[in-house]
Amino acid sequence: MNLFTAFRDDILAALGRLAEKGALPAGLDMAKVTAEPPRDASHGDVATNAAMVLGKQAGMAPRALADLLAAELRGLPAVTEVEVAGPGFLNLRLADFYWSDRLRDLLKAGVAYGDSTLGKGEKINVEYVSANPTGPMHVGHGRGAVVGDALASLLAKAGWDVCREYYINDAGAQVDTLARSVHLRYREALGEDIGAIPEGFYPGDYLVPVGKKLAAEEGDKWNSAPEAEWLPVFRLRAVAEMMELIKGDLAALGVHHDRFSSERELVEAGGVQKSIDYLQSLGLVYEGILEPPKGKTPDDWEPRPQTLFRATQFGDDVDRPLKKSDGSWTYFANDIAYHFDKYKRGFAQMINIWGADHGGYVKRMQAAVTALTEGKGGVDVKLCQMVNLLKDGEPFKMSKRSGTFVTLRDLIDEVGAGVVRFLMLTRKNDAPLDFDLARALEQSRDNPVFYVQYAHARAHSVLRHGAEMFPGKDLSGEGLSGAPLARLTDPAELALIKLMAGWPRLIETAAEAHEPHRVAFFLNEVAAGFHGLWNKGKDDVSLRFLLAEDHDVSLARLALVRAVSLLIASGLKVFGVEPMEEMR
C-alpha cells in the first residue's frame, strides 16, 4: 500500500465533506492535490498542498481553507497532530500504531512488498541493448542492458505488462563489413596468410573461431567464389554466430529478452514501405528540398528533391529524409517501420534505452512515433552515458579479445554479475559512470554493493542468533508479523520503519519516472538506517536486537530485522541481484 496515495484519498474525502457542508464550493478540480513526505522529516509524516492549490478556485485564502481542512483531518484515527504551516501547507503526524501496521504489511508481503497496480496491466515495450551484431558486448552495452532490464522489472513490479525486446540491426552496411571480416578469417582457417587486418574490417580475435567453424563445415567452396555469391551466406551465418555470442554475454549478466526482432526480416517483409505508405495516407510524407544545415554548409550538400517526413509538425527541428540519393531507405525509415511494428503489436507505450551518441536522433524518433500512433502512443528514450573503467582511480584497460574495446564478459569475470548490475545503477542513466574495479571489490561503506549486501547478510546473522534464542519459533515474515511491534519505540527504530514504509511510493514514482537508479539510493538509505541501529546496540546494551531478559522486545526487533532483509531482497530482485545471507 502506498500510504501517501491512501492519505491523498483521505484528504479528498475530507474536502468532499466540506463541500457537502457548504464550507467549500462543489466541483473543485482536485487533480493537483498531493500527499507526500515533508521535505524536512521534523515537520511531520505527511504533507499536503491541498489548501494552496484550491484556495484560488474556492475564492478563499489558502490558510483559511487549510484551517477548515485541518479540522476534518484531525478526526482521522491515525492522525495525532495537524499543523498549518506557512501560507497554507498542512503537515500531519501519525500515531505509532500506524507505523506498526505498515511494518506488519511488509512482513506479510515479503519480497512482494511494494507490488502495485499502478500500471493497470497496460502493455509497455522496453527495448534495450540492441547492439549491432558485429562482436561481443562492451562495457557501455552492459550499462544499457542493466538499465533496461532493471527498468523492465521495476515496471512489472508497479503493474505494467512488460515486453523486454532486443532489436537486431542486421540490415545495414556494418553487417556486410562483418561478413567480409568473417570471410577473411575463413580464408585464414583454410591456411591462407591474410596478413594485417584491412582498415575498416573488424579486427577482434572473436571472429577466429567463427572462421574456423565455417571452414570445417563448408570446406574451401567459398574461398575463390565471387563475393556476390558468398556475401549473403556469410552475412547470415556471421549475424547468427554474433547473436549467440551476444546472448551468451547477456546470460552471464542475467539478462534475458522476451523477443528478438530482426531489422532485415522487417525490411524484406515490406514493413518499411507499409509504414511510409501509412504516414503518406496521413499527409505526412512529401517531396521537398531541405534548407542547408545551419552554420557551415558541407561541401557535398546539394539542394536536391527528397522524400521527407513532416517531423517538424511533431516537435522536431527539421523534416527528415526517408530515402537516400540512390533511392534506398534511410536508417530512419527502417526505424519508423520497426516502431510501427511495435505499435501494431499492441505497444502504444514504448521505452528505448540508447547510447549517448544517439542523442541527436531522439526528437525525430519521438516525432515519428507520435505520428504513427496519431497521438495515442509515445516513446521515452533513455540515453546511457559512457562508463569509465578505473582501477584505484586510474583509467584501466583489460580487453583480451575484442581488438578495440573492453568486453562486458571480461568485466563480469573480474567482479561478478551482481556487482556489475548494482554498480551500473548507482548513477542516473544520463550521467557518466566511473566504474572502479578496486572499489567494486572493496569491503567498505564506499562500495554501495557491499554496504547493501552486508546489511542483508548482517540481518540474517541476527535472525540465526534469534533462532537459537527462540528454538522452534517461526521467524519468517509471516511468523513475526504477530510480534509485539508496539515495543519498537526508539526514535531510530521508528525512523527506519517510516523509511521502509515509503518503499511502495518509491516503486511507483521510480516506475512512472522510468528511473531505476532511485532503487539503489533507497536501498542505501535502508542499509544506513539498519547499520546505524546495529552500532547503537554496540554502544547501548538496551538497544541490542536480542535481549535475553526481554523476549517481547527481542521478537519485535527480530521482526524489524526480518523486514529489513525482506525489503533489501525486494529491491535487489528488481535489480536482478542475488541477496547474500553470509559474507566472509
Side-chain angles (χ1 to χ4, degrees), residues 322-336:
L322 298 172
K323 285 187 176 181
K324 301 176 186 176
S325 57
D326 63 3
S328 62
W329 297 114
T330 61
Y331 290 121
F332 179 51
N334 287 6
D335 283 342
I336 286 175

Side-chain angles (χ1 to χ4, degrees), residues 405-422:
F405 55 82
V406 179
T407 68
L408 176 63
R409 184 65 70 96
D410 289 341
L411 182 60
I412 293 170
D413 290 345
E414 189 81 10
V415 299
V419 172
V420 172
R421 290 184 69 112
F422 196 106

Side-chain angles (χ1 to χ4, degrees), residues 129-165:
V129 189
S130 299
N132 287 340
T134 54
M137 294 182 62
H138 58 63
V139 172
H141 293 141
R143 188 178 191 187
V146 169
V147 170
D149 206 48
L151 177 54
S153 295
L154 177 62
L155 289 164
K157 188 172 179 68
W160 273 269
D161 180 4
V162 183
C163 176
R164 294 165 155 91
E165 186 154 337

Side-chain angles (χ1 to χ4, degrees), residues 132-136 166 178 182 206-207 210 237-249:
N132 287 340
T134 54
Y166 186 117
L178 174 69
V182 169
Y206 59 87
L207 294 180
V210 181
R237 287 297 302 273
V239 169
E241 293 291 338
M242 290 303 98
M243 285 309 302
E244 284 304 305
L245 185 63
I246 288 169
K247 287 177 182 179
D249 289 345

Side-chain angles (χ1 to χ4, degrees), residues 285-459:
V285 175
Y286 70 102
E287 295 295 320
I289 299 175
L290 287 176
E291 293 292 322
K294 293 179 181 178
K296 185 178 179 181
T297 303
D299 293 335
D300 60 353
W301 182 83
E302 57 177 328
R304 61 181 180 83
Q306 296 184 78
T307 302
L308 301 169
F309 163 60
R310 297 186 188 277
T312 51
Q313 191 168 316
F314 302 94
D316 198 3
D317 300 323
V318 296
D319 290 343
R320 300 294 178 175
L322 298 172
K323 285 187 176 181
K324 301 176 186 176
S325 57
D326 63 3
S328 62
W329 297 114
T330 61
Y331 290 121
F332 179 51
N334 287 6
D335 283 342
I336 286 175
Y338 172 51
H339 287 78
F340 193 39
D341 176 69
K342 285 198 272 193
Y343 179 61
K344 289 190 294 183
R345 285 190 271 124
F347 297 106
Q349 296 185 68
M350 310 173 203
I351 301 173
N352 293 348
I353 312 296
W354 290 350
D357 56 337
H358 289 75
Y361 204 70
V362 174
K363 278 188 178 181
R364 73 189 71 178
M365 204 67 257
Q366 290 176 330
V369 172
T370 302
L372 290 165
T373 64
E374 298 184 67
K376 298 172 187 172
V379 59
D380 181 19
V381 179
K382 294 295 182 185
L383 299 175
C384 289
Q385 288 290 341
M386 294 293 293
V387 178
N388 303 310
L389 199 61
L390 310 172
K391 193 164 188 177
D392 292 321
E394 298 296 324
F396 184 68
K397 302 293 183 184
M398 55 184 278
S399 179
K400 300 171 183 174
R401 60 196 179 106
S402 68
T404 56
F405 55 82
V406 179
T407 68
L408 176 63
R409 184 65 70 96
D410 289 341
L411 182 60
I412 293 170
D413 290 345
E414 189 81 10
V415 299
V419 172
V420 172
R421 290 184 69 112
F422 196 106
L423 287 179
M424 290 291 188
L425 292 160
T426 54
R427 293 288 183 276
K428 191 176 179 182
N429 57 277
D430 59 4
L433 176 70
D434 289 339
F435 194 111
D436 194 306
L437 291 164
R439 180 162 291 179
L441 298 173
E442 188 178 87
Q443 294 193 349
S444 75
R445 181 168 184 169
D446 291 335
N447 178 358
V449 191
F450 170 79
Y451 194 63
V452 170
Q453 286 281 29
Y454 188 44
H456 188 269
R458 182 174 259 181

Side-chain angles (χ1 to χ4, degrees), residues 546-567:
L546 299 175
L547 300 175
E549 68 279 7
D550 195 332
H551 279 203
D552 278 359
V553 166
S554 297
L555 282 172
R557 288 177 180 166
L558 281 172
L560 178 58
V561 171
R562 174 64 74 182
V564 168
S565 75
L566 290 170
L567 191 142

